[in-house]
Amino acid sequence: AGMNVTAVDVSQAGCARVSAIAAESSIPITAVHEDLRSYEFTEKYDVIIAHGILHLLPIPDRVPLLERMKSHTVPNGANVVAVFTNRIPAPPDLMDAFIGLFEEDELFDAYQHWDILLKRSYTMNDEHPGGIHHEHPVNKIVARKRT
């Protein structure tokens, strides 16, 4: 739709997959193989999406990343963010991955000076291969940067 899209992923395979799907669909996407903790935004964006990734980062790293996301969003642009919280403890088989679970409502507090377009807290039921069932508490926000 004429938008410039940048996808950032720590996984080389993930970047290759996004690039291949985009090429098959003739959609121009720039895939960047880099850790988000060290990624330097070079542009300002209309929308920045971080869906289901921030809780995988160490807690000290996510505040600077959120601040960079917010500062690289154009006025009236939006951030779409979904994170797992600690309202329900991490499942034992995922504790090593979920090192940065958010406190309940912590995400909402980070966007208190933005216009909140959507604010949801819910529990997501998830089933992994092998029939492993998990419940994940989620905080999700769509926030628009004020001018």
Side-chain angles (χ1 to χ4, degrees):
M3 296 182 189
N4 294 322
V5 177
T6 303
V8 181
D9 199 314
V10 71
S11 165
Q12 181 66 44
C15 289
R17 184 167 184 220
V18 164
S19 295
I21 292 169
E24 288 172 10
S25 303
S26 299
I27 299 172
I29 293 178
T30 302
V32 178
H33 174 227
E34 191 169 337
D35 189 324
L36 274 173
R37 294 175 293 179
S38 58
Y39 179 71
E40 292 295 331
F41 292 85
T42 58
E43 301 178 43
K44 293 214 175 212
Y45 295 91
D46 294 314
V47 178
I48 296 178
I49 301 170
H51 201 277
I53 59 168
L54 296 179
H55 56 268
L56 302 174
L57 301 177
I59 291 170
D61 293 333
R62 69 171 183 239
V63 171
L65 176 56
L66 274 170
E67 290 306 314
R68 287 195 316 274
M69 288 170 50
K70 293 189 308 188
S71 70
H72 284 85
T73 303
V74 300
N76 288 318
N79 283 189
V80 179
V81 184
V83 299
F84 289 172
T85 73
N86 63 4
R87 181 172 44 85
I88 298 171
D93 60 320
L94 296 175
M95 288 184 84
D96 290 343
F98 294 175
I99 58 174
L101 292 175
F102 279 63
E103 296 288 331
E104 191 70 19
D105 297 333
E106 178 183 353
L107 175 65
F108 306 142
D109 293 342
Y111 284 92
Q112 64 183 328
H113 300 297
W114 289 42
D115 294 325
I116 306 306
L117 307 177
L118 175 105
K119 176 181 171 182
R120 287 188 58 209
S121 294
Y122 58 95
T123 301
M124 179 183 84
N125 292 302
D126 193 15
E127 189 168 327
H128 297 266
I132 300 171
H133 177 78
H134 294 134
E135 288 186 329
H136 303 290
V138 179
N139 280 179
K140 183 174 187 174
I141 195 166
V142 178
R144 181 176 51 221
K145 187 174 189 176
R146 296 178 180 155
T147 56

